[in-house]
Amino acid sequence: MNVESEGYVELSDEEVAKIVDLIRQKGTTDIGKLNLEEIYPDIYEKLREAYYDMAYNEEELHWLWEGYNSSYFEYDAVELMAYCEENCGFHFEYNKEDYIEDGELDEDALHDDKAEAFNDWLDDYVAGLEDDEVKDFFYNHMNANLELDDVNYSVGIPGAIIKLAEKKE
């Protein structure tokens, strides 16, 4: 999977200056050609962690959505519906007379229509959540279970540092 993402790495002004100087000296932003890992291993490790975290988070989110869209999660739909009625704003309105058949309430038809309305509502609800909220919702309420063993990523120089290096002194 190839993703583009934004992330955060905390570098001191001194660390940024070291990278900027190295880019200017070597005339490249290629992480391998800069030999950053050998010259400044602590800085490289901070970048490596940040890029790994970005890749992991994006891949995790991708597979959680795949699981949701493929109905892979096993959860108690009635329990989830009750939770969403109490905490997330789901509400099913119906006209009781629409479900009266032969003088009795057709509970199966009512249940089916409520479940269908809930599933439609749920799609819209989770689509409207922020990434971290989606992850929390899937893990905490839909029994998502995901373990990523291998996340492919590459380390790079953040764009803001490249822009600094391109500026004239």
Side-chain angles (χ1 to χ4, degrees), residues 71-85:
S71 301
Y72 180 74
F73 305 148
E74 294 181 16
Y75 58 92
D76 184 323
V78 173
E79 188 177 294
L80 180 62
M81 189 182 313
Y83 172 82
C84 290
E85 285 177 317

Side-chain angles (χ1 to χ4, degrees), residues 10-20 164:
E10 188 171 322
L11 298 172
S12 69
D13 290 345
E14 182 182 323
E15 291 169 323
V16 170
K18 287 178 179 180
I19 298 172
V20 167
L164 284 174

Side-chain angles (χ1 to χ4, degrees), residues 143-160:
N143 295 328
N145 187 6
L146 180 66
E147 291 179 28
L148 299 176
D149 295 329
D150 218 7
V151 176
N152 294 322
Y153 68 101
S154 59
V155 178
I157 302 295

Side-chain angles (χ1 to χ4, degrees), residues 17 51 120 155:
Y51 277 84
D120 291 343
V155 178

